[in-house]
Amino acid sequence: MESAAVKSEGLVIPLIDFSSFLNGTPEQRKETAQAILHGFQTAGFIYLKGLPITSEYRKHVFETSAKYFRLPIETKMSHCWTTPEANRGYSAPGREKTTSLLDAEEVKKLRDAVPDLKESLEIGREGEPDHPNHWPVEEGELTGFKATMLDFHEKCKYLHMEVMRAIAVGLGIDEEWFDGFTDVGDNTLRLLHYPEVKKDVFTINPGQVRAGAHSDYGSITLLFQDSRGGLQVQSPTGAFVDATPIEDTCVVNAGDLLARWSNDNIKSTIHRVVEPPAADGDAYPARYSIAYFCNPNFKSHIEAIPGTYEAEKDRKYPGINSGDYLVQRLTATY
């Protein structure tokens, strides 16, 4: 049912057929759920295939994303990211610095020294009056942009709920235990573009990366990659290992809040984006990816999941509000 998508330096990231959980027999669903949970407990990462998202639909979403990034920088800056509370809008190259550092001044120093070579557009749940999404004018090749992205946001919300149900089955708690934490959809769809970059940029500055080493903040992240490569995951030895793109899969990783929620039974693993494997020419081509950052509903109070501790003294963390936690982490990043 599963094989290894990545196996190096003590890091084993499984490739799991998710259709066996979505459509399988009770035995297949349980076996798949246990494989998913085991992947999160040991690697913090899994690859999923057998998703209810066709290759054609995925291609359409990526093409629509690329059209957005072809807009003039002045136009994109009119959709600018504003606050951690909103977490919506466009971020120009160098605006965000992905890192595990929490101190804002330390993050600024790192950003100034080695800015991330990427731009992004964050799209949140539609219909929040205080935090509207920043949509481009729909004309020409961007006609239908909003409908495409909102539809993909909804499809990813469904995947989030189903992966959390698989985790629940793996943990041996009620399958729908997480539903009340995930039904609102306080998640962020991030369109990412890593522009073409000269190879000597990485030679001149050995610390330069496309996205710095970091862990994600929420429950899980669904990552859809193009074929360019560059994603690396930190292994138990400390070495960074290539998480090579596999066609028609989604890379799913656990975030810091899920690790905390699980009383550290689940790992949130450091990862980064570097220059892709060597190719001909003097430049690395552009890379596109789409990340869907999943969170518990922002009003949710998060404390250790039942069964992840034996006695009260075994709880490692106090309870925390999901939305407050995310704002705290984003404030240090931008």
Side-chain angles (χ1 to χ4, degrees), residues 31 33 74 79 86 120 133 140 172 187 208 237 249 258 294 308 325:
E31 184 181 357
E74 297 80 7
H79 314 140
S120 65
N133 283 309
N187 310 317
Q208 183 66 64
T237 67
T249 65
L258 181 56
C294 306
T308 61
Y325 178 82

Side-chain angles (χ1 to χ4, degrees), residues 174-188:
D174 184 83
E175 179 176 334
E176 298 179 350
W177 192 87
F178 289 108
D179 284 9
F181 294 92
T182 58
D183 55 351
V184 173
D186 283 328
N187 310 317
T188 300

Side-chain angles (χ1 to χ4, degrees), residues 18-286:
F18 198 48
S19 67
S20 296
F21 181 79
L22 295 176
N23 308 310
T25 64
E27 293 76 16
Q28 289 173 325
R29 298 183 81 246
K30 183 177 180 180
E31 184 181 357
T32 305
Q34 289 173 337
I36 288 170
L37 178 62
H38 184 258
F40 285 141
Q41 289 174 327
T42 56
F45 273 76
I46 60 175
Y47 281 61
L48 293 181
K49 63 179 182 178
L51 301 170
I53 295 175
T54 66
S55 299
E56 293 74 19
Y57 180 82
R58 177 177 171 150
K59 181 181 179 184
H60 168 66
V61 175
F62 267 79
E63 288 175 346
T64 304
S65 173
K67 290 172 183 176
Y68 174 81
F69 291 112
R70 288 201 290 267
L71 289 172
I73 184 64
E74 297 80 7
T75 303
K76 290 181 288 189
M77 289 300 290
S78 71
H79 314 140
C80 208
W81 190 96
T82 52
T83 66
E85 289 78 11
N87 194 30
R88 288 162 166 80
Y90 172 75
S91 294
R95 169 71 189 274
E96 181 199 26
K97 181 61 188 178
T98 50
T99 172
S100 294
L101 296 173
L102 297 177
D103 182 81
E105 285 303 312
E106 291 300 316
V107 174
K108 183 180 184 302
K109 289 178 185 176
L110 188 62
R111 181 192 298 117
D112 292 344
V114 278
D116 285 355
L117 303 177
K118 68 178 190 297
E119 57 179 342
S120 65
L121 179 69
E122 321 286 323
I123 300 168
R125 177 166 61 89
E126 185 75 345
E128 286 199 71
D130 295 334
H131 303 303
N133 283 309
H134 302 283
W135 299 109
V137 175
E138 298 221 357
E139 58 186 12
E141 64 178 10
L142 277 180
T143 301
F145 179 87
K146 178 178 178 180
T148 293
M149 294 308 162
L150 288 181
D151 183 63
F152 191 57
H153 197 290
E154 195 63 25
K155 282 181 167 58
C156 289
K157 176 190 172 185
Y158 166 76
L159 273 181
H160 174 214
M161 293 188 72
E162 291 297 331
V163 172
M164 296 307 292
R165 287 175 176 172
I167 291 172
V169 172
L171 287 170
I173 59 177
D174 184 83
E175 179 176 334
E176 298 179 350
W177 192 87
F178 289 108
D179 284 9
F181 294 92
T182 58
D183 55 351
V184 173
D186 283 328
N187 310 317
T188 300
L189 178 66
R190 169 182 278 191
L191 311 181
L192 281 154
H193 171 222
Y194 302 84
E196 177 181 283
V197 60
K198 295 291 186 182
K199 289 183 177 179
D200 61 10
V201 168
F202 298 96
T203 305
I204 294 168
N205 189 350
Q208 183 66 64
V209 292
R210 280 178 154 174
H214 66 285
S215 56
D216 292 344
Y217 309 148
S219 53
I220 61 171
T221 302
L222 311 176
L223 177 68
F224 302 86
Q225 305 185 78
D226 66 10
S227 60
R228 299 294 185 194
L231 174 66
Q232 292 186 330
V233 179
Q234 192 171 42
S235 73
T237 67
F240 279 91
V241 175
D242 290 333
T244 305
I246 299 176
E247 190 173 359
D248 292 331
T249 65
C250 174
V251 179
V252 187
N253 63 283
D256 295 344
L257 193 52
L258 181 56
R260 178 179 179 137
W261 206 358
S262 72
N263 214 36
D264 287 338
N265 279 274
I266 286 171
K267 287 185 176 181
S268 177
T269 304
I270 300 289
H271 51 286
R272 67 184 185 182
V273 180
V274 299
E275 70 274 22
D280 295 335
D282 62 354
Y284 292 112

